[in-house]
Amino acid sequence: MMRFPIFFLFMFFLLAGHSEYSQARPFRIIGYFAGPLQRVDSIDVEKLTHLIFCFGDFKEGDFWIRNEEDSLIIQRMIGMKKRQPQLKVILSLGGWGGCQFCSAGFSNAAGRKKFAQSIRAISQHFQTDGIDLDWEYPAIAGVPGYHYEAADREHFTELLKVIRLYNPPPFEISFAAGGFTKYIDSSIDWISILPYTDFINIMSYDLVHGYSTSSGHHTPLFSTDRQTESTDHAVKSLIRKGVPRDKLIIGAAFYGRYFAIQEGAPVGLYQPGRFDHSFSYRNAKDSIGIQQGFIQYWDTAAQAPYAIHLKRRLLATYDNEESVLRKTDYALKEQLGGMMFWQLMDDQCREGLLAVIERRVNQHQKKRP
């Protein structure tokens, strides 16, 4: 009779259990919320699996909630579990501009341990379900003037490891990952972070960002012959690096970006220009409507909309119902872990883009045997 060491038997049953869990895991619909207390009750929480509070601070080496209103927001979010018992309420650190001291603070074991312990304390206090790290960015330039170094890549892995040590399952750990090539190739040691990460929120938006010197799609589903960066490009890159599909969450943009096109250039995609300002999807009719002088287009290669205003020399790049529907179909077809979006305050309160995602997911699940 063949004998197996106890260790290998343990690993077999562990992996078998993990495989069964992964297959049974529901498709995640994850919404970030960065808004005032009076808007919390308007969240259509029944359509979400995860609700992420934005943002806590990194202060004196600890995770901090900024003020009394933010504390009340978190408490209100926890109370929404009465409406949606399976809801996970996650606290988030950082955001653009919110991780100025992360590189230095997480550069040593003592700092990482202190932070992990503070997450445990504050999560136990509020009875929240996890942490989402939005460090923009480890090991590469993010906000101009913010410190970063190559060692951030290793330190990020060690940070996740110690967070998991002090916050065991079912506490969930995720992070917001840049959807562009330089981040994917340089910021994260993807294989090393997998044991400590439940899912990865790909920021497949701002791919043409506020410092770009030309226009383009900021949140396309597919690459084009003029723009490599896209949702599909990020997903395929991460799969090649060994990240399991069910840990990948793709992002939709519930906001758009205007780019002012340089004088003398045609008003359109891939033209010299600069970022001008943003607009919310809930205001799209007033922001990029025909009545406002915009001409709306659909890019079949990118599977993304855009609009131009010839007189004002503006290009608008955004997600709409059709592009979000196609992103949801893509995530389901590719057997990814789910969809997330930035952010709830930019959506319509009812029958907005969140509703598009949830309806398509429900339709897909009803078809499954």
Side-chain angles (χ1 to χ4, degrees), residues 178-251:
F180 55 97
T181 302
K182 189 171 184 180
Y183 179 97
I184 292 169
D185 289 345
S186 303
S187 287
I188 306 296
D189 183 347
W190 295 100
I191 296 300
S192 74
I193 59 90
L194 292 176
Y196 318 112
T197 309
D198 291 281
F199 55 91
I200 297 159
N201 293 319
I202 306 173
M203 293 185 287
S204 42
Y205 41 74
D206 291 347
L207 299 179
V208 177
H209 51 74
Y211 301 96
S212 297
T213 57
S214 64
S215 65
H217 292 291
H218 96 87
T219 183
L221 179 53
F222 292 107
S223 305
T224 71
D225 59 357
R226 297 290 301 275
Q227 182 175 332
T228 299
E229 306 292 7
S230 70
T231 303
D232 176 69
H233 181 262
V235 168
K236 297 296 173 55
S237 297
L238 289 169
I239 290 172
R240 284 194 297 269
K241 290 182 181 295
V243 182
R245 291 173 181 268
D246 68 352
K247 288 199 175 189
L248 294 176
I249 313 296
I250 60 172

Side-chain angles (χ1 to χ4, degrees), residues 21-277:
Y21 174 70
S22 296
Q23 293 172 6
R25 179 179 295 155
F27 187 89
R28 303 177 186 90
I29 302 177
I30 302 170
Y32 286 88
F33 178 83
L37 177 63
Q38 61 265 31
R39 289 296 301 274
V40 175
D41 288 336
S42 67
I43 297 172
D44 205 352
V45 71
E46 290 83 1
K47 292 180 169 59
L48 296 170
T49 63
H50 293 68
L51 177 58
I52 301 183
F53 164 81
C54 304
F55 288 102
D57 274 343
F58 182 58
K59 183 178 178 182
E60 298 175 6
D62 292 332
F63 183 84
W64 281 65
I65 301 303
R66 295 172 179 169
N67 51 49
E68 183 179 356
E69 181 177 6
D70 282 356
S71 294
L72 292 172
I73 289 172
I74 297 166
Q75 291 168 11
R76 190 75 60 85
M77 287 179 170
I78 294 294
M80 300 180 90
K81 290 188 177 189
K82 293 178 182 178
R83 290 165 49 191
Q84 169 63 301
Q86 303 305 313
L87 181 71
K88 302 289 187 182
V89 177
I90 308 292
L91 302 178
S92 184
L93 169 77
W96 185 253
C99 234
Q100 181 175 2
F101 305 109
C102 287
S103 179
F106 300 144
S107 64
N108 59 82
R112 295 189 292 266
K113 177 181 177 181
K114 187 174 190 288
F115 181 74
Q117 289 174 325
S118 73
I119 288 176
R120 181 179 64 182
I122 205 146
S123 298
Q124 289 177 345
H125 172 75
F126 286 107
Q127 293 296 294
T128 48
D129 301 294
I131 185 72
D132 182 70
L133 302 176
D134 189 1
W135 177 357
E136 301 183 29
Y137 306 101
I140 64 172
V143 178
Y146 281 18
H147 178 75
Y148 66 94
E149 55 186 70
D152 293 340
R153 191 171 188 262
E154 177 185 352
H155 297 158
F156 189 77
T157 300
E158 295 301 315
L159 175 63
L160 291 175
K161 184 185 297 185
V162 73
I163 291 174
R164 175 54 79 207
L165 177 66
Y166 285 96
N167 301 272
F171 187 89
E172 296 190 352
I173 299 173
S174 62
F175 64 94
F180 55 97
T181 302
K182 189 171 184 180
Y183 179 97
I184 292 169
D185 289 345
S186 303
S187 287
I188 306 296
D189 183 347
W190 295 100
I191 296 300
S192 74
I193 59 90
L194 292 176
Y196 318 112
T197 309
D198 291 281
F199 55 91
I200 297 159
N201 293 319
I202 306 173
M203 293 185 287
S204 42
Y205 41 74
D206 291 347
L207 299 179
V208 177
H209 51 74
Y211 301 96
S212 297
T213 57
S214 64
S215 65
H217 292 291
H218 96 87
T219 183
L221 179 53
F222 292 107
S223 305
T224 71
D225 59 357
R226 297 290 301 275
Q227 182 175 332
T228 299
E229 306 292 7
S230 70
T231 303
D232 176 69
H233 181 262
V235 168
K236 297 296 173 55
S237 297
L238 289 169
I239 290 172
R240 284 194 297 269
K241 290 182 181 295
V243 182
R245 291 173 181 268
D246 68 352
K247 288 199 175 189
L248 294 176
I249 313 296
I250 60 172
F254 285 14
Y255 66 98
R257 285 177 170 271
Y258 291 112
F259 284 86
I261 306 303
Q262 186 175 301
E263 289 291 338
V267 181
L269 294 165
Y270 318 123
Q271 299 300 322
R274 58 174 177 77
F275 168 67
D276 195 80
H277 64 284

Side-chain angles (χ1 to χ4, degrees), residues 338-358:
M339 288 274 294
M340 67 85 169
F341 53 88
W342 180 268
Q343 61 128 334
L344 282 156
M345 281 289 294
D346 289 322
D347 200 13
Q348 297 173 7
C349 289
R350 293 290 182 270
E351 294 305 311
L353 296 180
L354 171 56
V356 172
I357 297 171
E358 192 250 1

